[in-house]
Amino acid sequence: MRRFYLSMMMLLLLTSLHAQDIPVKQDSLRLETGKSTEQEIDSLTIDRNETVPLRLPRLNPAENLEPQFTPYQRHIVTINREKSNTLLPPIQWSGAASDRINSKSRTAVATMLPARNLLLYGSATLGLMETPYFGKANYYNLNAGAQYLLSPQLKLGASASYYSDFGVLPLWSTGLDASYHVSRNLQIDGGFTYMQTAGNMFGLSQSAVTMDLHGRYRLNDDWFLNAYGGMPVMQQNNRPAVPMMPVMNTPYYGGSVEHWFNSTTGVESGVIWMRDMFTGKMRPQPKLELLFRPGR
């Protein structure tokens, strides 16, 4: 019996010594220090998807008669960051068109990147409107601006524009705007715009400061919720008996649901409350708009 216990103890000792000689394999699921499987995102780019929305004046005056969530036109451009051997940064061109029954417009947009976090842009719009009583009339819009990426979450912008208004009541405007990403799913943008009538045959001088605010919440890659609001915060009129121009005196608020069918085409549907120019009351109006953006 004693020999049996000694044999068992020797067997256990040899087994433990053999187990210590087995090398421990490296965990295949552990990442090496200092490396990442995700591609790093450049925090100094204007936009992660290389697309930038610009705030342009309304490209077609007929659109001012319809319910609008914002007093400006959102035009999305695609940024090309290829290096150039020229002394000045290359100019990138894009455009927009609006065709209606009695009005048409064509817009050319030029953008330039003098620095990684600075975007300069300019646009020119030529339009034609035809009515049974006044015949054909031409108009044009000129706009220039800049956008600066202060941080990956905060973007600041400034712009100036001139609207000919068929030579009747031309309008100057300047504005400051900002866009802030509160989180991955929530973005807030808005700004202040100063508008002033230029010289006109009526001797009318009006000016106003308006503000607008827009919140956009991402539900998933295809669905978004929007909330809008805007109002004049200051008005001046050299003729109190003459009402303010509608573009200077239109408070609004509303909301919408935004859905993208694919990377370039979507639709936005909602309700907006606007002041009725005849009664002065806020009235709800439906809003339905097709959305287009450059392909990713």
Side-chain angles (χ1 to χ4, degrees):
M1 182 66 68
R2 185 177 180 181
R3 290 182 178 179
F4 175 76
Y5 284 122
L6 290 175
S7 301
M8 293 296 296
M9 292 179 64
M10 290 296 294
L11 180 62
L12 292 174
L13 181 60
L14 291 174
T15 304
S16 62
L17 291 174
H18 178 68
Q20 292 178 4
D21 294 335
I22 299 176
V24 179
K25 294 183 179 180
Q26 185 178 4
D27 187 358
S28 60
L29 297 179
R30 184 177 301 170
L31 294 178
E32 296 181 11
T33 305
K35 295 184 179 181
S36 173
T37 56
E38 295 183 359
Q39 184 178 3
E40 294 182 359
I41 299 175
D42 186 359
S43 61
L44 294 179
T45 56
I46 292 291
D47 189 271
R48 292 181 180 180
N49 294 326
E50 299 298 326
T51 59
V52 180
L54 304 180
R55 292 164 58 109
L56 302 181
R58 285 292 169 189
L59 307 181
N60 194 322
E63 297 175 352
N64 294 327
L65 305 178
E66 300 178 355
Q68 299 291 344
F69 285 121
T70 55
Y72 53 86
Q73 183 81 36
R74 291 178 181 270
H75 178 73
I76 299 178
V77 296
T78 301
I79 301 301
N80 184 4
R81 294 185 175 276
E82 295 182 359
K83 295 183 178 180
S84 175
N85 297 326
T86 60
L87 182 62
L88 296 176
I91 298 177
Q92 303 174 34
W93 296 93
S94 62
S98 175
D99 292 301
R100 296 175 177 269
I101 297 177
N102 296 324
S103 62
K104 298 179 180 179
S105 70
R106 297 293 183 268
T107 300
V109 181
T111 57
M112 177 188 296
L113 284 171
R116 296 178 65 191
N117 55 347
L118 177 62
L119 172 69
L120 303 179
Y121 65 91
S123 69
T125 299
L126 297 177
L128 171 68
M129 181 172 285
E130 184 177 4
T131 62
Y133 301 101
F134 301 101
K136 295 182 179 181
N138 298 297
Y139 67 92
Y140 63 90
N141 295 341
L142 301 176
N143 178 259
Q147 290 190 5
Y148 183 77
L149 192 68
L150 191 62
S151 72
Q153 294 80 27
L154 179 60
K155 181 170 59 180
L156 304 178
S159 62
S161 64
Y162 177 79
Y163 171 49
S164 69
D165 192 31
F166 309 100
V168 179
L169 282 173
L171 183 71
W172 290 97
S173 70
T174 59
L176 298 174
D177 60 271
S179 175
Y180 181 66
H181 286 267
V182 181
S183 65
R184 181 175 181 269
N185 296 326
L186 179 60
Q187 178 184 356
I188 297 176
D189 64 88
F192 289 89
T193 302
Y194 173 76
M195 291 173 282
Q196 169 71 55
T197 55
N200 56 81
M201 65 182 70
F202 307 103
L204 183 65
S205 177
Q206 294 183 351
S207 63
V209 176
T210 62
M211 64 171 294
D212 63 272
L213 189 64
H214 168 223
R216 187 171 186 253
Y217 185 78
R218 173 185 175 273
L219 297 175
N220 53 46
D221 292 339
D222 300 325
W223 292 91
F224 298 83
L225 298 178
N226 293 278
Y228 300 88
M231 61 180 294
V233 294
M234 185 276 291
Q235 295 176 333
Q236 290 184 352
N237 189 355
N238 69 334
R239 295 185 180 181
V242 179
M244 295 290 296
M245 298 174 61
V247 70
M248 299 184 183
N249 190 34
T250 307
Y252 65 92
Y253 57 87
S256 70
V257 177
E258 179 183 340
H259 175 64
W260 289 90
F261 303 106
N262 50 51
S263 61
T264 59
T265 308
V267 64
E268 185 176 355
S269 177
V271 179
I272 180 173
W273 281 260
M274 297 180 63
R275 176 180 292 171
D276 191 314
M277 67 176 61
F278 300 104
T279 64
K281 297 181 179 181
M282 300 296 289
R283 296 186 179 277
Q285 300 186 55
K287 173 65 175 178
L288 181 63
E289 182 179 3
L290 290 175
L291 304 175
F292 302 96
R293 65 186 176 192
R296 295 180 180 178

